[in-house]
Amino acid sequence: MKRLALATSLMLVVQSSPARSEPLVRWDWNDKGFWIYAINPDDRSWNCAAEYAINYAGDVRRNTASFTLPPKFKGVMSVVKVDYPASQWSFEPGGAQWCN
């Protein structure tokens, strides 16, 4: 009987624990610039950052985009416009992405 009571108590604790999900963050780009598309399904804000690089005529510049995702957000969060001719630069997504 003690095992049944313990199992029932554990099930209640697991079932009543709030679900935690982290936002989805991804890069997208075209010849004029690049942006972060993000989805935050939570009822709370998240502070996020994503690393990226721009290769302009062989010179690679690494940066970090930092932003705060509001609750229940879905859309474009951060936009970087590039004024270089499209044939002379490339976007290199990657590096770390995190939210806390």
Side-chain angles (χ1 to χ4, degrees):
M1 191 63 164
K2 283 186 178 181
R3 286 186 182 172
L4 180 59
L6 180 59
T8 305
S9 297
L10 288 175
M11 285 176 49
L12 290 174
V13 169
V14 171
Q15 289 178 348
S16 64
S17 298
R20 179 183 160 132
S21 60
E22 292 192 18
L24 167 71
V25 176
R26 70 173 168 81
W27 288 104
D28 205 354
W29 62 93
N30 61 22
D31 62 346
K32 294 181 176 50
F34 47 97
W35 55 93
I36 293 174
Y37 183 81
I39 299 173
N40 178 12
D42 283 345
D43 290 326
R44 73 175 198 96
S45 295
W46 289 83
N47 294 318
C48 300
E51 296 175 344
Y52 66 93
I54 297 175
N55 183 338
Y56 173 64
D59 180 25
V60 177
R61 297 180 186 195
R62 302 198 182 286
N63 293 298
T64 302
S66 299
F67 50 95
T68 299
L69 286 176
K72 302 291 185 189
F73 179 84
K74 181 178 181 179
V76 174
M77 194 65 226
S78 177
V79 177
V80 180
K81 185 177 179 187
V82 179
D83 290 327
Y84 304 132
S87 63
Q88 295 183 0
W89 71 274
S90 63
F91 172 67
E92 298 178 11
Q97 295 180 358
W98 61 94
C99 295
N100 57 30

